[in-house]
Amino acid sequence: MNSPMPTQKPARREASKLRALLRALRNSNVCVLYQTSDLAYLWAENLPDIWVDIWHVGAHDRELMQESTAARLDAAKLLVLETGEPQSVEIAVSHGDQLRWFELSIDCDRDGADTVIGVVTTAVDVTELKRREQVLKTLLREVSHRSKNLLAIIQSIAMQTARFTGTVDDFLFKFRGRVQSLSYSQDLVTDSNWRGAQFRELVRSQMQKYIDVSDPRFTLSGDDPYIFPGAALHIGLAIHELIVNSTSYGALSSGQGTVAISGKLENIGTERMSLLIKWDEKVPGSLRESDLNARFGSAVLERIVPISVNGTSTYNIEDDGVTYSLDVPRSQFDL
């Protein structure tokens, strides 16, 4: 038979329970403090490091924190002493050049006659939680800002597309293609944790729907910096317009034309450093229908994109091909 559990005296059981509770407390970020009815501290367990060197028996809150914070705490504790009702307070305490945040639960202590004789405060360090909340708020603000920018771009695309199309079907075809272009660029930006998109990857993402990037008619060369998010969306849109025009009327509408895209860092090491993006399209014969390309395409390439990236552009349509260059300032990319 199993021998019966030894019977512990009540005092020993209480002492054992107290030791276990204190061990658990020391392994947490919770501090318990006790004050007498005159709000002088009598004892404390598991003090945070910011108070270890300054807390002492008989101390008051004004010795541990800023006067305004201490006054708010005193008011809450006096209310507990007066009404016996618990109070909750959140405080921030300076620690070096940072703030430490605590959530305080304040309750009264009563004697055997049910008279209020002191105040028990449980303080939980919520600094990390506060920091995470701040990071989350910052991220949400950034997402909101970027979403508004993206919606503004889409609205502009819709309006400009409508201006230069004659039928609903034509509008839908062009508008879907341009929104899809934004989607490809946005995917790259999101995958990079909002850093942006590498130039070559940005170009390939726009080209791959229309041509195999290994096709000998297409070459991509030069430097490969990271394009910042806003610039990536607009440069992607410019590449989209060029490739659509090329597959519709130009070099890639036949089996003999070629398209070469390059990115070159200019004025390296100076304040005038920039990324020069070039599109060089060669077409055997003549571009008799090139003047029929979408006028919105020209607006994107010559006005909307350069203005959006604070850069400059040139766009030339000749009988034997198309050249486009976009000079992107250093503020729009990272090496």
Side-chain angles (χ1 to χ4, degrees):
M1 290 180 62
N2 294 331
S3 58
M5 292 290 292
T7 302
Q8 289 185 332
K9 294 181 180 180
R12 290 184 61 187
R13 285 202 303 270
E14 290 303 315
S16 175
K17 185 189 298 184
L18 179 59
R19 287 195 299 271
L21 288 172
L22 289 175
R23 280 198 299 271
L25 190 65
R26 289 167 189 148
N27 291 328
S28 71
N29 65 338
V30 179
C31 166
V32 179
L33 306 104
Y34 186 91
Q35 290 164 282
T36 56
S37 58
D38 62 353
L39 299 185
Y41 281 104
L42 184 61
W43 56 262
E45 285 293 338
N46 203 33
L47 274 172
D49 55 350
I50 63 172
W51 290 324
V52 166
D53 294 332
I54 58 177
W55 186 93
H56 58 87
V57 173
H60 289 80
D61 283 322
R62 61 180 176 272
E63 300 174 56
L64 307 179
M65 61 196 72
Q66 295 92 333
E67 186 68 33
S68 58
T69 304
R72 192 157 62 90
L73 266 185
D74 283 348
K77 291 172 181 177
L78 289 172
L79 188 61
V80 168
L81 289 171
E82 180 183 347
T83 66
E85 295 295 324
Q87 300 290 318
S88 296
V89 179
E90 183 179 84
I91 64 170
V93 181
S94 296
H95 182 53
D97 58 351
Q98 296 182 335
L99 286 178
R100 293 277 290 274
W101 290 87
F102 296 89
E103 284 185 356
L104 307 181
S105 298
I106 307 166
D107 207 346
C108 62
D109 181 37
R110 300 175 184 270
D111 61 13
D114 204 32
T115 301
V116 175
I117 60 172
V119 175
V120 180
T121 301
T122 304
V124 181
D125 190 334
V126 294
T127 304
E128 284 305 313
L129 179 61
K130 281 288 184 180
R131 288 173 182 163
R132 291 189 192 116
E133 287 178 353
Q134 187 59 45
V135 169
L136 181 59
K137 287 179 181 178
T138 301
L139 289 174
L140 289 174
R141 282 196 297 268
E142 181 67 13
V143 169
S144 176
H145 174 71
R146 293 186 185 280
S147 297
K148 289 177 181 178
N149 285 346
L150 187 57
L151 288 172
I153 293 171
I154 293 172
Q155 183 180 38
S156 174
I157 289 174
M159 293 175 62
Q160 295 292 342
T161 304
R163 283 183 61 192
F164 299 118
T165 52
T167 67
V168 172
D169 288 343
D170 191 26
F171 168 82
L172 290 175
F173 176 77
K174 293 179 179 178
F175 182 67
R176 285 170 182 159
R178 287 157 183 164
V179 171
Q180 193 170 50
S181 165
L182 291 178
S183 174
Y184 293 152
S185 300
Q186 185 65 41
D187 284 344
L188 296 179
V189 169
T190 303
D191 289 345
S192 71
N193 291 324
W194 299 92
R195 182 184 175 192
Q198 285 192 269
F199 169 66
R200 293 193 189 187
E201 192 175 18
L202 179 64
V203 172
R204 292 190 188 102
S205 72
Q206 298 296 330
M207 300 290 288
Q208 61 188 3
K209 179 182 175 181
Y210 301 94
I211 185 174
D212 188 332
V213 293
S214 63
D215 191 310
R217 294 178 298 166
F218 168 67
T219 59
L220 176 60
S221 62
D223 297 305
D224 193 23
Y226 251 102
I227 311 296
F228 291 152
L233 296 181
H234 286 93
I235 292 172
L237 189 59
I239 299 297
H240 168 79
E241 295 302 318
L242 289 164
I243 185 65
V244 167
N245 286 339
S246 182
T247 55
S248 298
Y249 319 110
L252 299 181
S253 65
S254 68
Q256 299 178 340
T258 61
V259 169
I261 304 177
S262 64
K264 183 181 179 183
L265 294 174
E266 302 276 337
N267 301 309
I268 298 174
T270 72
E271 293 182 355
R272 296 172 51 246
M273 183 177 179
S274 64
L275 172 66
L276 182 62
I277 299 171
K278 286 188 175 182
W279 171 285
D280 188 8
E281 180 177 350
K282 296 299 181 184
V283 183
S286 174
L287 278 175
R288 290 184 300 273
E289 295 185 75
S290 65
D291 58 328
L292 299 177
N293 73 1
R295 283 177 288 172
F296 176 50
S298 298
V300 166
L301 298 170
E302 296 181 285
R303 295 196 302 273
I304 296 175
V305 171
I307 290 172
S308 298
V309 302
N310 297 319
T312 57
S313 71
T314 59
Y315 183 38
N316 295 307
I317 301 175
E318 306 292 343
D319 286 343
D320 63 345
V322 174
T323 59
Y324 177 71
S325 66
L326 177 66
D327 198 40
V328 182
R330 177 69 177 85
S331 60
Q332 303 295 325
F333 63 88
D334 194 9
L335 301 180

